[in-house]
Amino acid sequence: MATDHTHKDSAPTLIGSVQRALRLVEAMYAEGGATAKRLSRITGIPLPTVYHLLRTLSHEGYVLREGGSFRLSDHLPLAS
């Protein structure tokens, strides 16, 4: 008997770190930029995790650091 892999009751596999990074991106978009501490407060993501995610997003060109604040890059490196 074949197994139905599209069963509606099964939960999708989600990657938590991607969800957290997207919450940060959404918060920076809404705020126009914010400190890591503020981003942690408004997203509920622990501050050390916020720093790790911001460092990765900065390295990949999605986030810019200006003084103590972080904001989305004006030219996001999205596929064109």
Side-chain angles (χ1 to χ4, degrees):
M1 179 194 281
T3 304
D4 183 5
H5 293 289
T6 60
H7 192 266
K8 293 183 185 204
D9 291 335
S10 63
T13 302
L14 303 176
I15 300 171
S17 58
V18 174
Q19 291 178 308
R20 289 186 293 276
L22 290 171
R23 287 204 323 255
L24 279 181
V25 167
E26 291 166 352
M28 282 183 281
Y29 179 78
E31 295 283 310
T35 63
K37 186 179 273 189
R38 172 128 177 91
L39 291 168
S40 175
R41 235 180 287 125
I42 62 180
T43 61
I45 300 170
L47 186 58
T49 302
V50 167
Y51 276 116
H52 290 296
L53 292 169
L54 288 171
R55 187 177 309 117
T56 302
L57 290 167
S58 294
H59 176 78
E60 296 298 324
Y62 287 85
V63 171
L64 297 174
R65 183 174 188 166
E66 295 178 336
S69 290
F70 295 87
R71 69 173 181 86
L72 294 178
S73 173
D74 293 329
H75 305 287
L76 296 176
L78 302 171
S80 49

